[in-house]
Amino acid sequence: MLNVITGPGESAGQALISHPMVDKLSFTGSRAVGQKVMMAAAAGCKRVSLELGGKSPSVVFADADVGSAAAVTMGTVTLGLSGQVCAAQTRALVHRDAAEEFLATAEVIGSMVSYGNPFDPEVTSAPLINARQLDRVLGLIARGQDEGARLVCGGARAEGDLADGNFVAPTLFADVTNDMSIAREEIFGPVLSVIPFDDEEEAIKIANDTEYGLAATVWTPDVRRALRMTKAIKAGTVGVNGYQLEPNSPFGGYRQSGLGREGGRAAIESYTELKTVLLPFTDEMM
């Protein structure tokens, strides 16, 4: 049975969390709200599954198909939902020898984005959810420039007939360091930060230097390197030369990306209880 309850988010959510007949809570959204859900659930000792976003890396080695890596990474950040996806890999960690090729291709992909009427088949990307999010994204873009990142393209609102909408031009930053705001905060908009690295060890260090740990991709034809990287990167799902969610596979994150998993057997088990029955056999029971 499916029961849909509508109402203001905070009051409806609080009612569900506190209701004595609700045993399990699942929430997908911001880290701040997820923390509130955990605290509210503690009163009833309710089990909780949380998917709270990420700041996921796409790690591109010089021996990879750099063009494909750039196209896929920039595409997932700018096409479709315009970066409003929890698993969007908004940090591109690119080997210095491949950085220029990556940036050139990513800029081309950004230029292919088309905003407008969502029923128009030529439109490829969505607006940001509301004006508040628009202001937040533009504020983080401005902060990235103030902190020394180089703006390659984008960085402003859409122009022309769409100037009054919640549209941000696909934005690409180069010369980013992992301590900058655009590399630390989940922007949830069409913004990709490119961070250079020199070797495998540095790539792992940068990839794991985050409060999150939801998703990642490793781009290299070297299978041994790919396996080393997938083992070392602290993320719930890691793709090799591409990234795709599978409904029959567990999806979720490490650290502040949440608790538990969606999809696969792990998700089903999170909605069940284990029961142990101890039944002694005696002559009278036979």
Side-chain angles (χ1 to χ4, degrees), residues 74-214:
M74 188 65 173
T76 58
V77 173
T78 60
L79 298 174
L81 296 177
S82 296
Q84 298 170 106
V85 180
C86 57
Q89 294 169 29
T90 54
R91 288 187 301 151
L93 281 52
V94 184
H95 193 279
R96 291 186 190 277
D97 292 344
E100 290 305 316
E101 181 183 355
F102 184 96
L103 287 167
T105 303
E107 185 175 7
V108 170
I109 296 298
S111 70
M112 296 169 60
V113 166
S114 174
Y115 293 127
N117 186 334
F119 295 102
D120 183 346
E122 298 299 318
V123 169
T124 65
S125 304
L128 299 182
I129 188 64
N130 54 36
R132 184 177 65 177
Q133 179 63 9
L134 171 73
D135 292 340
R136 181 178 181 275
V137 171
L138 291 174
L140 282 164
I141 291 172
R143 200 186 313 172
Q145 293 175 278
D146 291 342
E147 292 176 358
R150 175 166 60 93
L151 183 64
V152 177
C153 64
R157 299 179 69 168
E159 299 177 344
D161 294 339
L162 302 176
D164 292 331
N166 300 325
F167 299 96
V168 174
T171 302
L172 178 64
F173 277 107
D175 304 332
V176 178
T177 57
N178 206 51
D179 58 347
M180 293 179 179
S181 299
I182 54 175
R184 309 299 300 180
E185 297 191 34
E186 185 181 33
I187 299 174
F188 228 58
V191 182
L192 178 64
S193 298
V194 178
I195 305 171
F197 69 86
D198 290 310
D199 55 35
E200 196 173 308
E201 182 179 359
E202 185 181 17
I204 293 170
K205 181 179 179 180
I206 296 172
N208 289 337
D209 182 17
T210 175
E211 295 177 323
Y212 296 100
L214 187 59

Side-chain angles (χ1 to χ4, degrees), residues 259-276:
L259 300 171
R261 294 293 184 267
E262 302 169 6
R265 183 182 181 123
I268 296 173
E269 290 179 343
S270 73
Y271 285 89
T272 64
E273 289 281 10
L274 290 174
K275 178 183 287 187
T276 300

Side-chain angles (χ1 to χ4, degrees), residues 232-286:
I233 292 174
K234 296 177 180 178
T237 56
V238 184
V240 177
N241 297 325
Y243 183 87
Q244 179 176 320
L245 295 179
E246 299 290 347
N248 59 336
S249 298
F251 172 74
Y254 291 21
R255 298 168 171 167
Q256 295 194 38
S257 283
L259 300 171
R261 294 293 184 267
E262 302 169 6
R265 183 182 181 123
I268 296 173
E269 290 179 343
S270 73
Y271 285 89
T272 64
E273 289 281 10
L274 290 174
K275 178 183 287 187
T276 300
V277 178
L278 304 174
L279 180 61
F281 282 93
T282 64
D283 292 341
E284 292 77 9
M285 297 180 63
M286 299 299 290

Side-chain angles (χ1 to χ4, degrees), residues 27-112:
F27 172 77
T28 299
S30 72
R31 178 173 57 179
V33 176
Q35 291 168 341
K36 291 181 179 180
V37 170
M38 283 191 71
M39 289 188 287
C45 294
K46 299 177 186 291
R47 291 178 298 154
V48 178
S49 294
L50 302 172
E51 197 275 275
L52 306 179
K55 195 65 184 176
S56 301
S58 179
V59 186
V60 183
F61 287 92
D63 60 357
D65 182 343
V66 178
S68 293
V72 171
T73 305
M74 188 65 173
T76 58
V77 173
T78 60
L79 298 174
L81 296 177
S82 296
Q84 298 170 106
V85 180
C86 57
Q89 294 169 29
T90 54
R91 288 187 301 151
L93 281 52
V94 184
H95 193 279
R96 291 186 190 277
D97 292 344
E100 290 305 316
E101 181 183 355
F102 184 96
L103 287 167
T105 303
E107 185 175 7
V108 170
I109 296 298
S111 70
M112 296 169 60

